[in-house]
Amino acid sequence: MTIRHDRDALIIVDQQLDFQPGGALAVPEGDVIVEGINRIAGLFTEVVLTQDHHPPGHVSFASSYAHRAPFTAVTLDELRGGGVELSESAAFSLDDLRAYLEEARGNQQMLWPDHCVIGGDGESLDPRLDVSRATHIARKGYRPHADSYSAFRENDGITTGLAECLMAKGIERVFVVGLAGDYCVLYTATDAADSGLEVIYLEDLTRFVGSPAGSRERAMEELAELGITIGTSGDLPVGSGRR
Ligand SMILES: [Zn+2]
């Protein structure tokens, strides 16, 4: 597979400390892919880094709700039935939540431990990541009442402008890697395809949350259904040196 410098971009998703082993929302083996990502980054002229970037009291934090545990979901139906109560730390109202869930994928929000809090250590990019090739840093999920898995569209459908930015530069194909393969890398890939970009999902350079059970398998099915190419870094001319 040949990399076309004026047409291809690499998108490195959320390679941040909170998603590494020991972090607040650790992805198993999230650290072992850094070396491989560094190895291929030198092949690309356009390298996008994304960062989960949440204010305290964010809608995706279980701690923003009363009686809610991480790795469960809050749904629009529950909210309409009066079954959702916010905690004192919530930085959004129930009206904000209702408006968000009406637009959100599946009319629900998965709840997570507090992670990637703006200004916190866990939000930092992994210091082992070679950021010297980065041409664009896209931060996402910074509105208190809206989460964003994808680098292209927040979960309520609001664009981040990344597709327009890449296309304005002549990019036609994106390679996606990083964390996590069943959430942010998945939705970055599917939204890139939906934006009209050709997408290659490099399966060996991602790792998975694996919650709820079967999320990895469902991610692979969704990619296949959309005709997204699932490849590996071994398909790339790694070792040809930096430009
Ligand atoms: Zn997040």
Side-chain angles (χ1 to χ4, degrees):
M1 188 180 289
T2 308
I3 300 299
R4 302 163 302 174
H5 294 283
D6 54 344
R7 294 282 183 264
D8 289 331
L10 176 65
I11 304 178
I12 304 171
V13 177
D14 297 4
Q15 204 64 38
Q16 292 166 271
L17 289 180
D18 264 346
F19 297 125
Q20 303 296 339
L25 181 43
V27 178
E29 299 185 345
D31 52 339
V32 306
I33 60 175
V34 177
E35 197 179 313
I37 292 173
N38 286 343
R39 207 175 307 130
I40 66 164
L43 297 170
F44 294 85
T45 300
E46 291 291 335
V47 178
V48 178
L49 300 179
T50 77
Q51 254 184 311
D52 224 17
H53 190 68
H54 301 314
H58 190 248
V59 72
S60 73
F61 296 169
S63 65
S64 300
Y65 303 80
H67 323 298
R68 294 281 169 155
F71 306 104
T72 63
V74 61
T75 68
L76 183 59
D77 284 346
E78 285 176 307
L79 179 64
R80 285 177 172 157
V84 178
E85 190 183 333
L86 302 181
S87 73
E88 284 186 2
S89 64
F92 54 93
S93 67
L94 285 175
D95 284 343
D96 293 334
L97 181 63
R98 182 177 297 108
Y100 167 64
L101 291 176
E102 283 171 354
E103 301 300 326
R105 206 179 264 119
N107 298 118
Q108 62 173 312
Q109 171 66 46
M110 272 292 282
L111 302 182
W112 308 104
D114 290 19
H115 65 280
C116 298
V117 178
I118 295 171
D121 294 342
E123 192 222 7
S124 303
L125 291 162
D126 185 329
R128 293 164 298 183
L129 187 67
D130 177 6
V131 299
S132 66
R133 302 292 299 190
T135 51
H136 193 106
I137 296 178
R139 286 175 160 169
K140 59 190 180 64
Y142 46 79
R143 290 180 296 152
H145 63 281
D147 200 10
S148 185
Y149 295 148
S150 161
F152 291 92
R153 251 195 309 248
E154 305 242 322
N155 290 10
D156 56 357
I158 301 290
T159 181
T160 64
L162 181 59
E164 293 79 0
C165 174
L166 292 175
M167 287 173 168
K169 293 177 174 182
I171 298 299
E172 296 173 348
R173 184 170 67 168
V174 295
F175 291 71
V176 293
V177 300
L179 299 172
D182 40 357
Y183 287 95
C184 294
V185 183
L186 167 67
Y187 292 119
T188 294
T190 59
D191 280 347
D194 196 48
S195 301
L197 293 159
E198 186 184 347
V199 183
I200 315 277
Y201 177 104
L202 294 179
E203 192 179 11
D204 63 320
L205 295 183
T206 187
R207 289 295 184 273
F208 298 84
V209 172
S211 175
S215 63
R216 175 179 184 157
E217 291 72 21
R218 277 194 296 279
M220 291 299 137
E221 285 168 14
E222 193 165 343
L223 292 167
E225 278 168 17
L226 290 172
I228 291 171
T229 302
I230 299 171
T232 77
S233 60
D235 301 333
L236 303 181
V238 177
S240 62
R242 287 164 179 270
R243 289 175 77 229

